[in-house]
Amino acid sequence: MFTLREKEIFDVTTLTWVHKLDAEYFVRFPVEGGTFKLGLKIYELDIGGFDFAQSHFIREPFRLSDQIHEPAVSNSSDSALERAVDAITARYEAAVQAGEQPQAAWFVANPDY
């Protein structure tokens, strides 16, 4: 949680968005020939609530675009983590269930991570 002093320090007009790292996790997905490591960061927002960032987006073979995380404020660190995990695993699992062989090439680096 942001302390009162932290809020005072960041209370300047030139800063429009401040977030504080709450937790960082690493997960591995099975892919052909091994596993693929992906990072998840949970942030506390200065406006209240939590959001997440992931080190990679997923682009399965039958999708035309990357899975992009749309910012949304969660009311707890746990709910942001749940959203983060669901965001990446749902598309991975759907591709596997559709008969696709998981590939490391599905994972596209997030330049903002």
Side-chain angles (χ1 to χ4, degrees):
M1 180 175 282
F2 280 92
T3 67
L4 182 57
R5 182 64 183 135
E6 287 170 331
K7 289 179 181 181
E8 291 170 355
I9 291 169
F10 289 117
D11 187 24
V12 294
T13 57
T14 55
L15 300 176
T16 58
W17 186 69
V18 177
H19 61 273
K20 181 179 181 177
L21 183 63
D22 183 67
E24 185 170 23
Y25 303 89
F26 296 96
V27 298
R28 290 192 174 271
F29 285 88
V31 296
E32 187 173 36
T35 61
F36 186 87
K37 181 179 175 182
L38 185 134
L40 300 169
K41 292 180 181 177
I42 307 300
Y43 292 103
E44 180 185 0
L45 306 175
D46 64 328
I47 60 171
F50 296 83
D51 199 5
F52 72 91
Q54 56 198 52
S55 64
H56 294 76
F57 301 114
I58 188 167
R59 183 189 306 141
E60 316 90 293
F62 54 84
R63 302 269 185 190
L64 298 177
S65 64
D66 300 338
Q67 166 263 330
I68 303 292
H69 160 63
E70 294 296 326
V73 177
S74 296
N75 60 5
S76 71
S77 180
D78 288 343
S79 63
L81 177 60
E82 185 173 16
R83 283 184 37 243
V85 171
D86 288 348
I88 197 81
T89 58
R91 288 185 63 169
Y92 176 92
E93 290 170 357
V96 171
Q97 289 174 357
E100 298 291 340
Q101 177 67 36
Q103 304 287 324
W106 290 5
F107 297 93
V108 180
N110 176 0
D112 294 327
Y113 183 72

